[in-house]
Amino acid sequence: MKKYIFLLLLSFNGLLAQVQFEAKVSKTTLGLNERLRVDFMMNEDGDNFTPPSFEGFRIVGGPSQQVSQSWINGRSSFNKSYSYFLLPMQKGTLVIKQAAVEINNQIYKTNPIKVVVTAAVDQPRDVNDQSAPQISADDAIHLVAEISKGNPYVNEPITVVYKLYFSYNIGITNWRELNKPKYNDFWSQNIDIKQLAAEEGKYNGEKYRFVVLRKTVLYSQKSGKLVIEPLSLDIDVQLPTNRRNIFGQVQVVDDHKRVSAGSKTITVKPLPEAGKPADFSGAVGKFSFTVTPSKTNLKNGESLDLKVLVSGKGNLKLFTLPKPIVPSSLEMYDPVHNEQVQTPLTGMNGQIGDNYTIIPQFKGKYPIKPMSFTYFDLDSRTYKTISSPEIMVNVMDGPSAGENPIATKSGVTKIQISAEEQFKFIKLKTSLLASNKPSFFGSTAFYLMMLAPFFLIPIVVLAKKKKEALDGDVLGNRIKLSNKLAKKYLSEAKKQIDNKEPFYIALEKAMHNFLKAKLHIETSEMSKDKIQEILLSRNAKETSVQAFIDLTENCELARYAPSSSVAIQQDFDKAVSIISELEKQI
């Protein structure tokens, strides 16, 4: 009976010692303006924690790490957690995906968690709270989309300018785009804004400051009511409070505001059908049209370039140029298209052209028929046609069209080719194979392939024994893995050198894995005194040891403290230098 009770207790202790790794959220339903806390907790010490991507959320705090260990009645308990504070970026059902951690050389993952995000909820402010802001961000910030014309013709240029108005007594520290504007059924071109500068203006009759965030030129591609989907921003602001510091200056509180420019509907008029020529290709604006040959008098074997050019102001990139018609005795190649078009806020201007190469086949005079180009003039609201003159090409020498002609059904004449020239292109040299080739069976290659498996068997046996020996070296494999992880995270830190928080997380992991590889200790055993004691016992210099410890402690603080790109680069160079020195010393 005692034997069964003992086995039962062993089984119960085994269940209690089971590894647990789970994710918990502060709430499963929250408003768009509320924050969410997520905790990833484990009951064993784990390494190489990998958080999820948090799609649909913005990280506003964390990760913060907490570790606790206790002994009660001879039993130990261990808890370790990573905490994040998130702000939802959109409404709907969002999923926090799996996080992963390595515990005892095994990978554990959390279960996905669904979170429902509703519309923003009211968050009442205490009027007696001196730290509460004096004004609401809702009344101090406005995003406006200004449309130059709401009723244009098809392919008539209009502009959309996005302005952010904000009150004089608030500050804006940063903003992020939640939704980019979409211009369905429009051709669009963004105008670069080199530097944002605050200007003074009025919004609803009151004085505000504003900055121009975007300028876009649009050309509608069809008529009817077209909708421009809005630009949405998430803005970090500083609002004044009723408190003042010892110098009498007003203290501010950080807040955030989400604004949208709202959808805009453009009513596009179709181009008039009355008077529309058959060759109209969609050009709208004001243009000039020229057809210019490089030369008109040619010798045998020479070619000419025919340039078809349209210049002016209008939708230059949105229509096709007319194609020249030439006699069959002139061979015309596909054109080379060239565009020299600028797109300022007033619309496209410049020139486009097609350059044709034409080669004559026979001696004689050949006309290139006049060409015409039609466009819709926005000023007069009528169609205008420009025609080019006829061009006469004079081929002064070469074979005449009547010499040895061969008529075809299409009416094109060809020159008769002699029998001597007809087969000139046929290949005269050949490479033949012998018909009495020796048999493969019984050859040297045959016997070598027969004996090859017998030579490979000892090699396979030796390789298998070598692999089993390497797999059995648990300590060596663990050192190799830690060394590999140290290099991996050091490389990851170099990639994230422009992103402060991911950089210091990767750098800290690289230094921890370096110690695990060189000192053969686990993360839970790492302390300042123990690291210093072991490194000094391995003949490491005291200055190098102290520099390593200082840099490790600085990684946690630097994630939350302001720092420049120069300081981050210096920390990376310092880490590489310290690791290299310790590698040589121990």
Side-chain angles (χ1 to χ4, degrees):
M1 185 65 181
K2 292 181 179 180
K3 178 179 178 181
Y4 293 116
I5 294 174
F6 179 73
L7 292 175
L8 183 62
L9 290 174
L10 284 179
S11 301
F12 184 69
N13 287 333
L15 290 173
L16 291 178
Q18 185 177 4
V19 175
Q20 294 181 355
F21 179 50
E22 59 182 350
K24 291 184 178 180
V25 294
S26 58
K27 57 181 72 176
T28 56
T29 301
L30 70 157
L32 192 61
N33 58 338
E34 293 183 299
R35 296 189 178 189
L36 177 71
R37 174 169 175 164
V38 184
D39 298 309
F40 299 96
M41 300 179 293
M42 62 198 80
N43 64 346
E44 294 285 343
D45 190 12
D47 292 317
N48 305 320
F49 171 72
T50 304
S53 59
F54 297 117
E55 294 180 7
F57 293 93
R58 179 165 64 90
I59 300 175
V60 294
S64 60
Q65 179 180 333
Q66 292 183 347
V67 178
S68 64
Q69 190 168 6
S70 61
W71 290 83
I72 301 175
N73 297 329
R75 292 182 180 178
S76 66
S77 64
F78 178 87
N79 288 288
K80 183 177 181 181
S81 66
Y82 292 90
S83 300
Y84 291 83
F85 290 91
L86 309 177
L87 187 67
M89 306 293 287
Q90 63 192 50
K91 293 189 294 184
T93 301
L94 304 180
V95 178
I96 298 175
K97 298 183 179 179
Q98 294 178 312
V101 71
E102 180 183 347
I103 301 176
N104 298 329
N105 295 325
Q106 290 188 3
I107 302 298
Y108 294 86
K109 295 184 179 181
T110 60
N111 294 323
I113 301 177
K114 290 185 178 181
V115 178
V116 178
V117 181
T118 64
V121 297
D122 292 333
Q123 295 179 340
R125 303 178 185 271
D126 186 359
V127 295
N128 297 320
D129 186 4
Q130 295 294 319
S131 63
Q134 298 176 359
I135 61 174
S136 171
D138 297 338
D139 303 325
I141 302 176
H142 308 279
L143 181 61
V144 177
E146 296 181 353
I147 310 293
S148 62
K149 191 172 185 179
N151 189 25
Y153 280 103
V154 172
N155 270 316
E156 181 180 358
I158 63 173
T159 58
V160 184
V161 179
Y162 294 92
K163 294 181 179 180
L164 180 65
Y165 288 89
F166 54 97
S167 177
Y168 279 87
N169 54 355
I170 71 167
I172 295 179
T173 57
N174 192 21
W175 63 73
R176 292 159 295 278
E177 287 189 356
L178 297 178
N179 294 304
K180 294 181 180 293
K182 295 180 181 179
Y183 311 106
N184 297 325
D185 300 315
F186 286 95
W187 182 93
S188 62
Q189 174 71 55
N190 288 326
I191 307 298
D192 291 335
I193 301 176
K194 295 182 180 179
Q195 185 175 3
L196 297 178
E199 304 176 45
E200 293 186 353
K202 286 189 176 182
Y203 177 80
N204 287 341
E206 297 183 8
K207 288 185 177 181
Y208 278 82
R209 291 179 295 169
F210 73 90
V211 290
V212 177
L213 302 180
R214 275 175 174 263
K215 296 179 181 179
T216 307
V217 180
L218 303 177
Y219 286 84
S220 58
Q221 299 302 291
K222 71 176 187 179
S223 60
K225 292 188 177 182
L226 307 183
V227 178
I228 299 176
E229 297 186 17
L231 169 68
S232 299
L233 301 177
D234 185 17
I235 304 173
D236 295 333
V237 297
Q238 292 180 332
L239 303 176
T241 66
N242 294 318
R243 284 187 172 183
R244 295 180 179 271
N245 58 19
I246 59 174
F247 302 104
Q249 297 173 331
V250 176
Q251 293 184 342
V252 297
V253 62
D254 292 330
D255 200 352
H256 70 94
K257 168 68 176 173
R258 294 185 175 184
V259 292
S260 173
S263 299
K264 299 295 180 182
T265 301
I266 309 298
T267 304
V268 182
K269 297 180 292 188
L271 297 176
E273 293 296 328
K276 181 187 289 187
D279 63 347
F280 177 69
S281 61
V284 177
K286 201 170 190 64
F287 305 101
S288 62
F289 174 67
T290 58
V291 180
T292 308
S294 60
K295 61 179 74 173
T296 55
N297 295 320
L298 304 176
K299 295 180 181 180
N300 183 27
E302 289 185 335
S303 64
L304 69 91
D305 291 332
L306 187 68
K307 189 172 185 179
V308 180
L309 182 69
V310 171
S311 59
K313 183 179 179 181
N315 59 334
L316 287 162
K317 296 183 179 181
L318 303 176
F319 60 83
T320 57
L321 294 173
K323 186 176 181 180
I325 300 175
V326 300
S328 59
S329 297
L330 299 181
E331 186 175 359
M332 184 173 67
Y333 292 87
D334 292 336
V336 176
H337 187 71
N338 181 41
E339 292 184 356
Q340 297 178 5
V341 181
Q342 299 82 37
T343 310
L345 202 59
T346 54
M348 285 186 269
N349 63 75
Q351 62 181 24
I352 60 172
D354 286 340
N355 195 26
Y356 294 86
T357 299
I358 299 176
I359 301 176
Q361 302 296 313
F362 307 106
K363 177 182 178 181
K365 292 185 177 182
Y366 304 97
I368 298 178
K369 294 181 180 181
M371 300 173 60
S372 62
F373 170 72
T374 301
Y375 67 92
F376 181 75
D377 187 0
L378 290 169
D379 294 334
S380 62
R381 298 184 181 181
T382 58
Y383 294 96
K384 294 187 177 181
T385 301
I386 305 174
S387 298
S388 67
E390 182 181 81
I391 299 172
M392 186 64 69
V393 178
N394 182 21
V395 184
M396 296 180 290
D397 56 7
S400 299
E403 293 181 2
N404 298 326
I406 299 177
T408 62
K409 293 181 180 179
S410 61
V412 179
T413 57
K414 298 182 179 179
I415 299 176
Q416 186 175 5
I417 302 175
S418 63
E420 182 180 353
E421 297 291 329
Q422 186 175 2
F423 299 100
K424 188 175 181 179
F425 66 91
I426 297 178
K427 188 175 181 181
L428 301 177
K429 293 183 179 180
T430 60
S431 55
L432 304 177
L433 298 175
S435 60
N436 57 346
K437 190 175 180 180
S439 174
F440 174 73
F441 182 76
S443 63
T444 304
F446 171 79
Y447 288 112
L448 287 175
M449 293 181 70
M450 287 285 293
L451 296 174
F454 297 99
F455 292 105
L456 290 174
I457 290 174
I459 298 174
V460 172
V461 172
L462 291 174
K464 186 176 180 182
K465 289 184 177 180
K466 181 69 174 177
K467 185 177 183 304
E468 290 175 351
L470 292 174
D471 292 341
D473 186 7
V474 178
L475 180 60
N477 289 335
R478 184 177 298 175
I479 293 172
K480 289 180 182 178
L481 178 60
S482 299
N483 210 350
K484 183 178 179 181
L485 289 172
K487 293 179 180 178
K488 171 189 172 183
Y489 286 115
L490 198 60
S491 175
E492 179 66 22
K494 187 174 182 181
K495 293 178 182 177
Q496 299 288 346
I497 204 163
D498 293 329
N499 301 317
K500 181 183 68 174
E501 192 170 331
F503 166 79
Y504 281 108
I505 292 174
L507 188 63
E508 186 178 10
K509 289 182 178 180
M511 301 182 75
H512 281 183
N513 281 285
F514 171 77
L515 289 179
K516 290 172 67 176
K518 298 303 177 185
L519 306 185
H520 309 161
I521 60 176
E522 296 298 326
T523 306
S524 58
E525 301 174 345
M526 291 184 187
S527 65
K528 178 180 177 181
D529 296 336
K530 187 165 186 178
I531 293 172
Q532 191 172 15
E533 178 185 349
I534 298 176
L535 286 176
L536 292 175
S537 67
R538 298 284 185 89
N539 298 324
K541 294 182 179 180
E542 187 173 353
T543 55
S544 301
V545 174
Q546 188 61 42
F548 185 91
I549 294 172
D550 292 343
L551 184 57
T552 305
E553 294 176 346
N554 183 53
C555 286
E556 178 68 23
L557 297 175
R559 289 194 307 213
Y560 308 103
S563 59
S564 63
S565 58
V566 175
I568 294 175
Q569 181 65 49
Q570 289 176 352
D571 286 344
F572 178 78
D573 296 338
K574 188 185 296 183
V576 174
S577 175
I578 293 171
I579 290 175
S580 299
E581 289 178 4
L582 291 176
E583 182 80 29
K584 295 176 183 177
Q585 294 169 10
I586 64 176

